[in-house]
Amino acid sequence: MFGSIILRRLGAVIPTLLIASLVVFMLVQMIPGDPAITIAGESATPEQLQAIRQSLGLNDSLPVQFWNWLTNLVHGDLGRSLINGEPVRSALMRTTGVTLTIVATAMLIALVIGLAAGIVAALHANGLVDRAVTALVSLGVAMPGFWIGLILVIVFALGLGWFPATGGMSFFADPVTALQHAVLPGLAMGIVGAAEIARQTRGAMIQAMSADSVRTHRAKGLSERAIVWRALKNCSVPILTIAGLQLNSYLGATVVIEAVFAIPGLGGLILNATLQKDYPIIQGVVLVMALIVITVNLLVDIAYRIVDPRIR
Amino acid sequence: MVDLLDTRGVSVQFTMSGKRVLRAVDDISIELQPGKTLGIIGESGSGKSTLGRAIIGLAPVHTGEIHLDGTRIDTLSSRQRRRIASQIQMIFQDPMEALDPRLSVSASIAEPLIVRGGLSRREIQRRVDELLDLTGLSPRQGSRRPHELSGGQRQRVNIARALTLDPRILICDEAVSALDVSIQADILNLLVDIQEQRGLAYLFISHDIGVVARVCDRIGVMYLGQLVEYGDTADVIGKPLHPYTEALLSAEPQALPSRLRTTERIVLSGELPSPLHPPEGCRFRTRCRYATEICSTPPPAVQPGSPGHSAVCHFARELELVGAKHANSTQASPRQRG
Amino acid sequence: MSKLSTMADAHAPTSTSTVPLLEVTDLGVYFVRDGEESRAVENVSFSMTEGEIVGLVGESGSGKSVTGLALLGLLPEKSSRVTGTARIAGTDLLAAEPAQLRRLRGNEISMIFQDSLTALDPVFPIGNQISETIRTHREVSRSAAKKQATDLLESVGIPEPSKRYRDYPHQLSGGMRQRVMIAIALACEPRLLIADEPTTALDVTIQAQILDLIRDISKDHGTAVMFISHDLGVVSELCSRVMTMYAGEIVEMSAVDDVLERPLHPYTSGLIQAIPSTNPVRRRLQSVPGRVPSPDELPAGCLFEPRCSFAEDACRAVHPPLRDYPADRLVRCIRADDLNLTGAVLPTEAVESGGQRG
Amino acid sequence: ACGGGSSSNEGASASTSYGKPTPGGDLTVAFSASPTSLDPISGGSGLDHSSLYPIYSRLVNFTPDLQAKPGLAKSWEYPDPLTLVLTLQPNVKFQDGTAMDAAAVKFNIDRARTLPTSTVKTNLATVASVDATSPDTVTIHLTEPDTSLPLIFADRAGMMVSPTAVQSEGADFASHPVGAGPYKFVSFAPGDSLVLTKNTDYWEPGKPYLDNLTIKYIANGQTANNALVDKQIDFVNGVSPQLVASLKAKPGIVANSSSSVSMNGCYFNFRKPPFNELKARQAIAYALDNGALNKALNFGQGGEAATQLFPSSYWAYNKDLKYPYKHDVKKAKQLWSEAGMDGVTVQAIGYNAPGQQRKLEIIQSELKEAGITMTVDIKDVSAANQEMYVDGGPATLYCSGWSGRPDPNDTFTSLTSPKSFYNPGGFAAPNVEELIAAGKKESDTAARAKAYQPLAKLVQDYVIWLPINFNPLIVAYQSKVKGYVPDLYGKPDVSFLWITK
Amino acid sequence: MTDKVTNKVRTPDTTVTQTPRQRRWLRLLLADKVSLVAAVVIVLIILAAILAPLLAPYSPSDQDLNSILSGPSGAHLLGTDDLGRDLLSRLIYGARVSLEASVIAVGVGLLIGVPVGLAAGYFGRWIDAILMRIVDTLLAFPALVLAIGVGAALGRGLVQAMIAVGIVFAPILARLVRGQVLTLRKRLFIEVATTYGTSTGRMIRRHVIPNVMRPVIVQATFLLAIGLLAEASLSFLGLGVQPPTASWGTMLQSSFQFITVAPSQIFAPGIAIAITVLSFNLLGDFLNDVLDPNTPLRPRRKRRRA
Ligand SMILES: Nc1ncnc2c1ncn2[C@@H]1O[C@H](COP(=O)(O)OP(=O)(O)OP(=O)(O)O)[C@@H](O)[C@H]1O
Ligand SMILES: Nc1ncnc2c1ncn2[C@@H]1O[C@H](COP(=O)(O)OP(=O)(O)OP(=O)(O)O)[C@@H](O)[C@H]1O
Ligand SMILES: [Mg+2]
Ligand SMILES: [Mg+2]
Ligand code: NI
């Protein structure tokens, strides 16, 4: 049942990635600045710059550069960082896990807080509890992630000492430490996400709880708790959709959050690379991020079909 | 004589997922004269709406032809179609859905005139007021939006809009099904009045035999995309030729005291077969109580009964089927059935 | 003929006894909106005996569904207020604790809803939805509940029930879904079944099947059925007694035949007249002009008075009570005695067969 | 000049007061930027050095006030102005066991001179050839007198890499660096961390003290500060001055501020108005209050208002030179008018790094006082550099800075030579090239300092480059960390720190 | 025609009381306290932005290096920043920039996203396929990364940065509009309009656009809020406005550097952003109700969320 979806999606992935990398390539070319200047630094001379450009292949025409990049890609070679020569693949390998860890933590936190708040608000719709929850949650949306992040650091790391203030690592390297490090950045991103999810959950739950099928469940004599679970399954599609869409903003937010927490992840990598015009790294990160997004979208799609039999 | 509208062997097909083909309308030929009403009845999914939509150009005609005044219209381009748009109009089952929720009632009614062009603002306004009045809506209601009206009022707006272009043919697709009986009666009366005034021809689609019997001159009975019986109302209702028509008539609940309820109700067994895989041979045979061997092999041909009355059944001439029971007609004696 | 009779049966079929199963007195339902109360149902009293099928008819918005929902305690808690009593087997449904009510619902008293597509939970297999009802009220194992659910599916006429068990509502036709609804309602063999327009969305041929099913159930189990419909035709075929509702009140209550022969209330008469029959005579239909008044703007006197062609000054003055009328009939009209209203039978004929009422 | 009293190097004598070093322990330090390359002659950033020192020993070291002292080269001499002879420490080995001998030095110098992408080529432009005259002696032949070489060898060009490693690793050398320094390379994650471990065969007896050294790269100063307070790191370099006060207040944390040659200052685009006019440049010089700027930029935490290209404690500083452009708004206005620039808007460019924008805003505000309108365009550093030096974009003023060099020649050449990359428009002040060359002829420090005196005046007279202030070097560390010795270069060497138990 | 008369015997309209459309939203607003507060806050902020020169006690760029990072005082109600500038004045002027920023971003997003979504949804087939492939690609980019890329490419500056953010918004809006149009196309009233010959242009103008605008407007108010936050984030990364212009984002960014020294710095811009975003969101919820033609005049207590 899921095989065909996966195949269909995979078919769409390759053109998407190609367009994505082309777009990035063009985009990066438009960014002013020259990696040779970064490399040469304070000892730059025109000859020096020329030599560096030559050695990095930056003197080739754009289509040639893109073509070279593509052909190497086909051979599994993502190139090397222009700045420090690190193979892009190894840069991605060491950062992807870290970012995935905090992004996954953020999603988890967002889902747990968001669902709980949304359900509570929906069950007390328009009551005091609802208003309180809604207001709190809206505040979450209204604060920039790095702002929340910093406050979390000051309170929970520097103040209470519960979590480390900086750093991060991949879950697969050391699960316990990784999670300790992931909690605060996860919260910083997740609170914003939780607000969205709570909003969506509240709306969907109110609708689901007023559905005719809930009335049937009541007429059957089911307990309220059982009914809430059933309603939740009914409104899982919009919630999943939102959660899936959020992944994108989490990946974007890592750029900022990783700076606040000094986390060696994809966000920091691409931020630096953008500032230094390190094309191969930018290309690589975008490719990985796009892949993550596409994979998660696929998972969401599959989840749709599991939770809602009406879809296809 | 050239009919106002006629369809000749019209079929409509939908291609479903997995390349399966659904023949929603299968080889249907009907004709319509000015001032007359043709009723189409049949169960849900039998293709009634699709037939109507094919005629008005909303569903693609796969085979067959549709003629208006003897001119073929099913092959017209959308540009040419616009030119004859004013001739045929349609009223739909769901009066709310058929109205743009953002337009006021007057704006909705004026829309066809604006689209056709050639009228000044004032002329349009006058025409709209006229129609509001005709359909029993107050000018005040003209400035409302659809959601501010009751179901009956909404259906009036739909009727008004369908009439703005002075069509010669009005297709009423379940125009009263969603309404309460009392409002239903209002709207039916309105439709009858308008027909009398303007000499319109109606294609009246409904699943309610009572309604169809009441307003139609002729009736076509559809089953799984086919026209299984076709004839004058009195003939079809009184002396049905097709077992399906008989079943429909008998299943129609009768608001009658028990002493007058004399005929036995025929309860069809089983569900309507999937239109994707209609039964071989006679399509009704799976639910037909008279079905025999021969019903399952060659599809039956059209069997004429009295003039202008025909049915698609091997036994159309042999079976003595029971028609409708009327409180006021002389009672048919209860028959024994095998 | 009924497959239901093969099932283990707690309630032995009984002949219609005179001991009421359900006794509703002075039921009132009020909706609260922005602090204002509006009346949806008021002064509704009736009783039902075992095995009896009672019809409840009326136009859209007249309060039929609200009456049914009130009995099951399914009205929104916050925005509604219910008054009166409704006793079933000694328990007042309207005063019951939530837990007590839950034990009754689906068990002693259950309900079938009109739109089976929305009334069934779209994301659970139909079999589940039946068996969970059983498991809620009976201490049975998962597999036993499943077995019972499969049997129920079969008994309501769904072919190959064990295959269908895993199907989702959207995979079934309208008629099948409605039968699943019925199976859910019958899962615990309730004593009272409230059927809220269970056939409105269905084709006549399918409707006929469902009506047969309900009739059989009532007969075989002695289940009392309150059949809500706006279609007098359906009611007349199924029910022995009919109550007509108008603007939240019962305006007439009689045996079905009596009402059809000679309705006592002008509204009932209007409803009957508006039904187009298969009589192939093209003539205008009678209609009841106007609409059911909104609960916020009720007239002071008779609620039907603004639409009534027989209204007199007296009708505007007082709100008429529901009063007794010969032959066990009740009517809410002060002119019921003077009016000779038309029913489903032409007056001529009615006169001819006048004495046959029973 | 306002303010500008030389700050005492409190750390210079501190090493003795720390007591006896204790070996053992691991240390984590944080620097603000990841090295552009771990191959010393491939990187270009002034922030790389601190990461390179632990891996690579240099031919020459310098004292805290930037005088040359022996390193891998035990001694050196100029037998004639065109020959430099280095005598090496005997028996030194690279971390891979390769001998760090004369042949290795020749290999290194030749590599630095010839590799196309070498960033130290210009520094070694005067080298004609290199001979390994004996295992311990290297003879360098010059094309012209160049006494700046010893200090050049105290910088990147003197960081000796293992020839075997270079030959075997090729392009990958930067990922597997091998030097003769106190720590061996373990792993490097650019932008994240550099992990090093003790080189047990290090040539200086008893050193280093630490078992492992980890360098974290934390760009955001606030974040680094958090990490220090949270004890995730032990030592942080380049603390923002505004944080010093709060850090000092924290028990267990030491903050140290010292002078450095790294400075803020402005580059002019000499190609076009307004700054092709001397008076316009002078107007800017008058308009800026270097003392106030220094104080504001550093929040009163040290630093020094600049009058020349070197801080007053540096040996090449011209003590006899008075600063002519004492803050004077009136004069600035007048000169700006005289230059005919009334109504002309100065388009300044800057790069986005902590403090840069703030600096520009203060400059903007000071110029405004003098009636000079300045717009600011802030870009990434490479984009800004490109616009200013390569493309010649609209910007005419670039108030960034100069991170300083151990040898004054390098600074003078880069900032004043008409041939320099950093001289947009190639402005040639009278005799500037001769004056630069003169400094390279003397080998004695005092003589060199004297030789550069006219050049310092020339820079002031023509406002070839406008110095603003010298940045303090601020480090902070856990009090258990000992052995920190600040130097004027401003790029701390963490190799020989130790930890008290 | 006596029959016709009976047809017109209508009982009094009990459905809804007539309201002029233009005052409908006002009455709804007055009845909904929360939305009212949100609307008032937004109006106040807009006024503050417009009247900044009149309201601000100081010039936003006047420095006083002798009193930097000072706390609230009589002279400076909110204190001063790291260059001794009056925080209140910068906050007021910053409103201008920040609002402008989010309006530009949303404007660009609408300008690109809505037509693309309309075209893809209405014309379908290959137009849809091509447009949606591009949109999907853009959506697969992490938003902030795309913004940084586009922003860097367009050059540093508020307008550039916000155009970049707008380009990030465009695919979101395009998808939204497309989805709406797709469902709308299947709606009966659109089909009905074709039966009297409505042309494509008129169909889109008269029926499609008005009916897709509600979710678009609601989404736009949410995006306004996100735009505000994006400005802050881009400024945090140094891609926002050029000095000495004040925006809430740059203020927040600079306060970040002084968090341990002068923590109070963070509150003024932080709270300003939070309140504005909150108000936009609440207003979005409100508009969702108001623009729904089916909302009864008496507002439901239940606030529906998009
Ligand atoms: N656009 C379509 N695509 C695919 N199948 C369609 C489409 N429209 C109608 N059908 C199918 O064609 C058949 C006939 O449908 P149609 O709506 O004409 O039935 P109907 O007789 O009007 O039924 P009802 O009484 O429920 O309105 C049904 O099986 C329906 O599912
Ligand atoms: N949850 C509710 N809140 C407020 N008013 C309600 C609610 N449910 C029903 N009503 C009102 O109560 C009245 C009776 O409604 P009810 O649903 O019982 O009518 P009905 O007779 O079942 O009509 P229909 O034939 O349309 O089902 C109507 O005016 C309706 O608007
Ligand atoms: Mg239909
Ligand atoms: Mg109802
Ligand atoms: Ni939303």
Side-chain angles (χ1 to χ4, degrees), chain C residues 264-311:
Chain C
L264 295 178
H265 197 282
Y267 177 63
T268 319
S269 169
L271 282 186
I272 297 171
Q273 296 302 301
I275 302 170
S277 74
T278 43
N279 191 341
V281 176
R282 288 190 72 185
R283 58 158 190 202
R284 299 189 59 82
L285 287 157
Q286 296 288 302
S287 74
V288 188
R291 307 189 62 213
V292 181
S294 111
D296 311 323
E297 310 164 12
L298 296 175
C302 171
L303 298 183
F304 187 61
E305 172 272 322
R307 298 171 74 186
C308 182
S309 43
F310 306 100

Side-chain angles (χ1 to χ4, degrees), chain B residues 200-223:
Chain B
L200 277 153
Y202 286 145
L203 182 69
F204 198 93
I205 297 170
S206 175
H207 62 256
D208 187 336
I209 280 208
V211 172
V212 168
R214 191 45 87 83
V215 297
C216 299
D217 301 292
R218 280 169 75 72
I219 292 181
V221 181
M222 284 184 75
Y223 187 78

Side-chain angles (χ1 to χ4, degrees), chain A residues 257-294:
Chain A
I257 293 295
E258 288 181 5
V260 172
F261 288 92
I263 295 168
L266 288 171
L269 194 61
I270 196 171
L271 178 62
N272 265 325
T274 312
L275 298 182
Q276 298 175 327
K277 289 206 63 171
D278 197 343
Y279 320 129
I281 295 273
I282 302 177
Q283 296 275 48
V285 175
V286 166
L287 224 53
V288 168
M289 287 193 170
L291 260 176
I292 296 175
V293 171
I294 290 168

